[in-house]
């Protein structure tokens, strides 16, 4: 065939065509479709190696096999590289042909598959969307063909009918259909509905199905059409069990309404009576026909409240509820009634109806009033209780709102009153409270109110008092309670802390004002007690911040956000690695890196330090065991808080932790603060000896910053002192720091205790400590706390040749 004829033949084909020389594997001819497919000119393609446009390794191996005479044809899907470097999907067929009896070549036919791939992806996407839609609906969905065979169903349908797990992926849909039919209680109605649909394939149908599992389903059936022909049916199932129950409850409520011994009537938004129960008709003194349609505005009255209904209407609109004791005229007599009036709102939040409950209180009213008088007073002191205080403040609030007045609330909490109750008994404490209430009352005016809130807490309401008046009253109370007390011949001092809140600056309700005054009082407690303080908004901000931090701290434990870093303790004489202190670290997704100086004090205050301490102990022991089993034993130090140490089972927990992990006890060191040792010296001594008996070593952390005493160093089984960083940071320039550190090192040497200097950051500090013959140090000069893996890498560089009997990496 001539070259011109070959060219015409190639260009006449719709598919892209290459001719490849079997010896050189270079393209000898292409058609226009091939050039358009890869985006390269024909002149560029001719002469190009066929392998140059290959993408996958399989294509390259094929052409290599062709060159070796091992392959002659291929038909597969492949990827082809374009002139832009992109890979496109093609269907490719390579065949060996002869242009002449003596001229073989490879014919490469390529068909662009991009449109088909895009169509497949579009189809998959639409199928995925339909599947997601099917599963996201709240209704159960079943798709059937015209023969009643299930083609598809969603998970919601399976849940509704309690379909067993093994049938969810049943290969035979008939099993699913048989199971569902077996769950229907009324088989006759079910079969009748099926026959009706068989008779008319285009019909739509809605019916109710009651299942054996107690559910009631509303089933809706619609034909599934394609090209104007019914191809099957789609059933949707809605669980209306709760709706049916609600309708039953409504019928029950109607019976309750009619038979209630309490009078009930219902009004519209204009307060016209729409419905009344028999008891209401009897108490109203009207015939039922006269009552319905009448206005409820004049239904009740109170001689002391001329604007009674205006008060009721205001309460209904503001709070949705009003309750009170009023009068109802029946014939020529007035009947005392107790009323509860409730507002009902429509979907837009507007008043649509009201419901009124009332009952005859004539016989009980006087007795109730006598009981309420007793309920207004504190039994012990005779002071107004919270109820009476609330009424007086409520009255003052109404006056203040109208006239722009002001007043003060003082929250008074006695200092150290718990010591009196614990040591002298509650009876003695009650007499003290009576004396306290008398002293406070003498500091207040007749128009003011003092209320006992319970325990040793009092609230004073200072009517028409400004900030100056509140301060004067607070100072009087402080002075009065600062005077010594004498009860049953015993003299003692007490004192109090006072928080002050002002209306309206700090709140517009009694609850808000008491809360603000209480917050201010606690701020006084934090700063030493025996004083007063006005509320400031920042106090609540600080409290809220602490609450959020406390919640985040506990959530971090549940989420596993805490980690341990290890800071090396290094010998000053030869640089040997002697041990590592375990330091807890917390990185929060919202708060970021949280400093231990921020969350540890809060944990100690809230008691959560016990949980954190237990986790640190277990994690440090786990790491120590890992190093021990790896043949690189190292002493790991763990900080113990005072609260953690005071737990009755602390020694048992340490013992269990060591035993469960199979750790050599000598590889665990507990760092204790000095406050632990002096709070209860005898109990601490017994506990420390028990810990020492386990084989763990004990160290005093931050030595010199607490209640330093040589007595406990002699008695307690302590093996190490840690000099606090506050004494190290001034070395060697600060004379006081030099004296303290020198004395501590000398004393420790005399008592045969090891010494570790904390917070060493400069070479000058290190050199000075070495001159003092301090045993070891830790600090940024060597390294900060590191994760275990980074610590091991650092330890490998620090470790000298091992010494006999030494512990180290």
């Amino acid at each position: 065939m001539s070259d011109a004829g070959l060219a015409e033949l190639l260009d006449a084909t719709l598919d892209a065509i290459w001719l490849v020389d079997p010896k050189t594997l270079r393209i000898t001819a292409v058609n226009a479709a091939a050039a358009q497919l890869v985006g390269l000119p024909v002149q560029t393609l001719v002469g190009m190696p066929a392998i140059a446009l290959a993408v996958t390794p399989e294509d390259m191996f094929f052409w290599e096999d062709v060159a070796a005479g091992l392959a002659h044809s291929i038909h597969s899907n492949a990827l082809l590289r374009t002139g832009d470097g992109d890979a496109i999907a093609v269907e490719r067929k390579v065949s060996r042909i002869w242009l002449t009896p003596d001229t073989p070549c490879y014919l490469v036919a390529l068909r662009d598959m991009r449109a088909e791939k895009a169509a497949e992806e579009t189809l998959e996407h639409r199928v995925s969307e339909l599947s997601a839609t099917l599963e996201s609906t709240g209704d159960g969905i079943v798709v059937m063909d015209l023969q009643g065979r299930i083609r598809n169903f969603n998970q919601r349908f399976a849940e509704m009918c309690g379909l067993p797990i093994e049938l969810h992926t049943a290969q035979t849909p008939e099993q699913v259909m048989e199971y569902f039919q077996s769950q229907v209680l009324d088989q006759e109605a079910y079969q009748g509905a099926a026959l009706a649909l068989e008779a008319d394939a285009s019909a739509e149908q809605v019916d109710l199905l009651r299942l054996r599992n107690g559910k009631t389903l509303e089933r809706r059936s619609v034909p599934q059409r394609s090209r104007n022909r019914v191809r099957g049916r789609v059933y949707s199932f809605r669980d209306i069990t709760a709706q049916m129950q609600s309708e039953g409850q409504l019928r029950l409520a109607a019976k309750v309404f009619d038979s209630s011994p309490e009078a009930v009537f219902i009004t519209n938004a204009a307060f016209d009576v729409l419905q009344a129960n028999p008891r209401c008709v009897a108490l109203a003194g009207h015939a039922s026909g006269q009552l319905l349609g009448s206005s409820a505005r004049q239904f009740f009255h109170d001689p002391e409240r001329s604007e009674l209904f205006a008060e009721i209407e205001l309460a209904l609109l503001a709070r949705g509820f009003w309750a009170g004791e009023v009068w109802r005229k029946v014939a020529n007599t007035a009947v005392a009634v107790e009323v509860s009036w409730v507002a009902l709102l429509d979907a837009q939040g507007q008043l649509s109806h009201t419901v009124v409950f009332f009952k005859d209180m004539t016989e009980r009213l006087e007795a109730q009033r006598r009981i309420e008088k007793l309920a207004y007073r504190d039994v012990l002191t005779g002071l107004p209780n919270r109820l009476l205080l609330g009424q007086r403040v409520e009255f003052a609030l109404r006056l203040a709102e109208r006239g722009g007045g002001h007043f003060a609330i003082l929250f008074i909490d006695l200092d150290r009153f718990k010591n009196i109750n614990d040591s002298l008994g509650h009876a003695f404490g009650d007499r003290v409270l009576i004396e306290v209430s008398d002293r406070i009352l003498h500091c207040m005016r007749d128009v003011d109110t003092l209320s006992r809130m319970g325990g040793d807490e009092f609230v004073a309401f200072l009517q028409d008092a400004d900030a100056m008046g509140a301060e004067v009253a607070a100072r009087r109370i402080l002075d009065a309670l600062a005077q010594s007390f004498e009860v049953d011949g015993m003299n003692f001092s007490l004192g109090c802390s006072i928080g002050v809140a002002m209306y309206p600056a700090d709140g517009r309700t009694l609850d808000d004002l008491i809360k603000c005054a209480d917050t201010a009082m606690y701020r006084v407690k934090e700063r030493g007690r025996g004083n007063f303080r006005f509320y400031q908004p920042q106090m609540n901000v600080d409290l809220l911040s602490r609450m959020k931090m406390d919640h985040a701290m506990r959530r971090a434990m549940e989420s596993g956000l805490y980690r341990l870093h290890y800071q090396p303790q290094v010998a000053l004489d030869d640089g040997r690695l002697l041990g590592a202190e375990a330091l807890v670290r917390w990185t929060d997704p919202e708060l970021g890196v949280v400093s231990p100086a921020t969350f540890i004090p809060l944990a100690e205050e809230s008691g959560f330090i016990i949980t954190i301490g237990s986790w640190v102990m277990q994690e440090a022991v786990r790491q120590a065991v890992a190093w021990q089993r790896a043949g690189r034993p190292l002493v790991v130090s763990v900080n113990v808080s005072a609260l953690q140490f005071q737990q009755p089972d602390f020694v048992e927990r340490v013992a269990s932790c060591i035993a469960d992990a199979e750790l050599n006890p000598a590889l665990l060191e507990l760092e204790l603060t000095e406050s632990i040792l002096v709070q209860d010296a005898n109990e601490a001594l017994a506990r420390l000896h028990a810990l020492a008996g386990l084989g763990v070593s004990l160290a005093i952390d931050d030595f010199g910053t607490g209640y330093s005493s040589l007595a406990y160093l002699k008695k307690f089984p302590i093996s190490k002192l840690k000099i606090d960083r506050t004494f190290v940071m001034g070395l060697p320039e600060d004379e006081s720091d030099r004296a303290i550190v020198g004395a501590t090192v000398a004393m420790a040497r005399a008592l045969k205790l090891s010494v570790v200097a904390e917070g060493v950051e400069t070479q000058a500090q290190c050199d000075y400590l070495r001159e003092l013959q301090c045993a070891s140090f830790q600090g940024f000069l060597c390294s900060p706390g590191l994760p275990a893996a980074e610590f091991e890498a650092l330890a490998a560089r620090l470790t000298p040749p091992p010494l006999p009997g030494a512990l180290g990496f």
Side-chain angles (χ1 to χ4, degrees), residues 266-313:
I266 301 172
T267 79
N268 58 18
F271 300 102
D272 299 323
V273 178
L274 302 178
Q275 193 172 356
N277 72 345
R279 179 59 178 161
C280 177
V281 173
L283 278 181
H286 295 299
S288 178
Q290 294 175 323
L291 183 60
L292 298 182
S294 64
S295 176
R297 295 176 182 273
Q298 289 79 38
F299 205 86
F300 305 109
H301 76 280
D302 187 338
E304 299 179 359
R305 290 183 282 183
S306 59
E307 300 295 329
L308 174 62
F309 189 79
E311 176 188 330
I312 294 174
E313 187 173 11

Side-chain angles (χ1 to χ4, degrees), residues 564 566 582 615-625 636-638 663 668:
L564 283 190
Y566 299 89
W615 178 85
V616 170
M617 179 79 68
Q618 294 173 355
E619 183 66 13
V621 166
R622 183 197 63 77
Q623 184 59 63
V625 168
V636 176
S637 301
V638 176
L663 176 69
L668 178 63

